[in-house]
């Protein structure tokens, strides 16, 4: 059995693997693909101390760093079910889709999250070429340009407020008849001079010139199609944690995030979690990496304190 078994090879999982391996404990990592969401990213300018990189480069660097240590990499595999130990110090089981079951004294869950997509024509085609999901990440790329935000909940309105300070103009499209964001956020949004709010506006198509986004079409409350010229569309209709396989085991929040304490511990002794899959606020690479380190150190602390059962 492993001392530490990590599920997920994104920034959080890779960081946990390096930290665990450096303690000399038997470490394994189940990796669907190294890099996680980072593989879907183009330019990255906020990985502190690296002025500029891109998704494939950073993913390759994460993998190389993990492979520098004595880590058992179980690749191209997904975890399907978690079987928590019957008592503290006991062995947890993780069933893989292949049918194999791995055992470990501690498990670190780092399965990340994914953005809910609009599912309209043009969205996939222009991803990272005008279609964006993360205002903290990509906002500055649209300085002085016109953008839309799809989604009128808290994250959509926060994104619109954030972007309005950077870009020339923001159009917020909400498919329902009113915004769902907190009132203070709505008040702030409506006070901004370069923001237009459209309700009953259903985005139906993202258009481009083959290279970049040039506009979008939405169906209005009048039932007619309307066109907007713009350079960017931020989709803000939900970040979904990849935690469906954990149902009935560790405690999840109402949003399906793994509830962790300030040590990265879940509701089950010996099971830790890190990164976008958890309740840790602000889903970012540097935060996921810090979280992975924290969870690995907590797992090590558990290993030296809790006798094997
Ligand atoms: P993830 O990166 O989501 O990795 C989790 C991994 O686990 C994935 O590979 C997933 O497939 C895998 N997995 C899921 N379920 C299972 C399972 N059952 N078994 C095994 N493996 C599983 N952040 C920044 O800081 N700067 C940026 O510029 C930036 N740009 C972004 C651009 C885009 C388009 C996107 C989508 C995100 C961006 N982010 C950016 C956010 C950043 O990528 C995430 O915060 C970060 O990757 C989270 O790391 P993680 O390890 O927690 O999860």
């Amino acid at each position: 059995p492993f001392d530490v078994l990590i599920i997920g090879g994104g920034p959080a999982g890779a960081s946990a693997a390096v930290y665990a391996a450096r303690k000399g404990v038997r470490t394994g990592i189940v990796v669907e693909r190294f890099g996680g969401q980072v593989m879907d990213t183009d330019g990255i300018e906020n990985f502190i101390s690296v002025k500029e990189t891109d998704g494939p480069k950073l993913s390759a660097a994460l993998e190389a760093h993990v492979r520098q240590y004595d880590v058992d990499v179980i690749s191209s595999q997904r975890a399907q079910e978690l079987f928590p130990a019957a008592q503290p110090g006991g062995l947890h089981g993780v069933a893989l889709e292949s049918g194999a079951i791995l055992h470990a004294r501690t498990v670190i869950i780092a399965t990340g999250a994914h953005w809910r997509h609009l599912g309209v024509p043009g969205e996939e085609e222009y991803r990272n070429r005008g279609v964006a999901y993360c205002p903290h990440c990509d906002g500055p790329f649209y300085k002085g340009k016109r953008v839309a935000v799809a989604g009128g909940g808290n994250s959509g309105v926060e994104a619109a407020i954030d972007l309005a300070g950077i870009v020339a103009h923001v159009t917020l499209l909400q498919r329902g008849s009113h915004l769902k964001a907190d009132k203070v956020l709505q008040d702030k949004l409506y006070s901004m001079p370069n923001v237009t709010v459209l309700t009953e506006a259903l985005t139906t198509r993202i258009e481009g010139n083959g290279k970049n986004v040039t506009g979008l079409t939405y169906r209005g409350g009048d039932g007619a199609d309307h066109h907007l010229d713009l350079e960017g569309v931020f989709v803000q209709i939900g970040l979904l944690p990849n935690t469906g396989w954990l149902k009935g085991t560790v405690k999840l929040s109402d949003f399906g995030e793994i509830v962790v304490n300030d040590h990265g511990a879940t509701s089950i002794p010996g099971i830790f979690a890190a990164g976008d899959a958890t309740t840790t606020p602000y889903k970012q690479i540097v935060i996921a990496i810090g979280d992975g380190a924290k969870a690995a150190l907590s797992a090590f602390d558990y290993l030296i304190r809790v006798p094997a059962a």
Side-chain angles (χ1 to χ4, degrees):
F2 293 103
D3 291 313
V4 180
L5 177 64
I6 297 143
I7 315 296
S15 167
V18 169
Y19 266 76
R22 286 172 60 81
K23 292 294 183 194
V25 297
R26 183 148 188 240
T27 304
I29 183 168
V30 176
V31 177
E32 201 179 11
R33 57 171 192 171
F34 268 105
Q37 291 169 75
V38 169
M39 269 309 275
D40 299 329
T41 305
D42 243 13
I44 299 169
E45 298 187 347
N46 59 1
F47 185 52
I48 305 310
S49 86
V50 179
K51 277 190 281 183
E52 230 182 308
T53 184
D54 61 41
K57 257 194 228 158
L58 181 55
S59 300
L62 290 171
E63 174 166 5
H65 204 170
V66 170
R67 290 194 187 273
Q68 203 193 332
Y69 291 93
D70 187 14
V71 173
D72 225 327
V73 177
I74 301 133
S75 28
S76 307
Q77 292 285 339
R78 284 178 64 85
Q80 195 169 39
E81 205 174 343
L82 174 67
F83 302 102
Q87 70 222 71
L91 289 179
H92 308 289
V94 175
L96 304 184
E97 280 180 358
S98 66
I101 298 190
L102 306 174
H103 292 97
R105 283 188 65 201
T106 67
V107 174
I108 298 174
I109 304 164
T111 46
H114 59 280
W115 292 95
R116 181 180 278 141
H117 289 193
L118 287 169
V120 300
E123 182 177 22
E124 273 310 305
E125 190 182 348
Y126 289 105
R127 184 156 53 88
N128 294 331
R129 296 189 296 151
V131 176
Y133 296 87
C134 174
H136 316 302
C137 312
D138 294 352
F141 297 140
Y142 294 90
K143 189 163 190 245
K145 299 186 172 164
R146 296 161 302 178
V147 304
V149 173
N154 277 341
S155 51
V157 172
E158 280 167 13
I161 293 167
D162 172 358
L163 292 166
I166 300 170
V167 305
H169 187 266
V170 180
T171 306
L172 182 122
L173 298 104
Q174 158 71 339
R175 131 182 149 157
S177 58
H178 59 277
L179 300 182
K180 295 207 172 115
D182 298 342
K183 170 124 188 353
V184 286
L185 293 176
Q186 293 194 35
D187 291 347
K188 172 77 185 165
L189 182 72
Y190 282 113
S191 77
M192 304 189 86
N194 58 339
V195 175
T196 306
V197 177
L198 301 173
T199 54
E200 293 190 57
L202 177 69
T203 306
T204 52
R205 172 180 294 277
I206 295 171
E207 282 119 20
N209 56 11
K211 270 166 106 187
N212 298 302
V213 165
T214 55
L216 69 71
T217 299
Y218 68 91
R219 175 132 345 115
D222 56 3
D225 282 347
H226 302 265
H227 178 82
L228 294 175
D229 287 325
L230 41 74
E231 288 76 39
V233 181
F234 283 78
V235 180
Q236 293 288 304
I237 54 174
L239 181 66
L240 308 172
N242 302 323
T243 56
W245 64 288
L246 297 168
K247 292 256 161 63
T249 59
V250 292
K251 185 172 180 222
L252 303 179
S253 73
D254 291 346
F255 301 107
E257 298 165 324
I258 303 163
V259 177
V260 286
N261 69 9
D262 57 4
H263 282 63
T266 70
S267 58
I268 298 178
I271 301 182
F272 302 84
D276 280 19
T278 73
T279 47
T280 299
Y282 307 116
K283 312 310 195 205
Q284 293 285 283
I285 298 164
V286 284
I287 292 174
I289 284 187
D291 244 22
K294 191 170 34 167
L297 296 176
S298 296
F300 181 69
D301 191 53
Y302 176 93
L303 288 171
I304 60 177
R305 282 169 194 268
V306 181

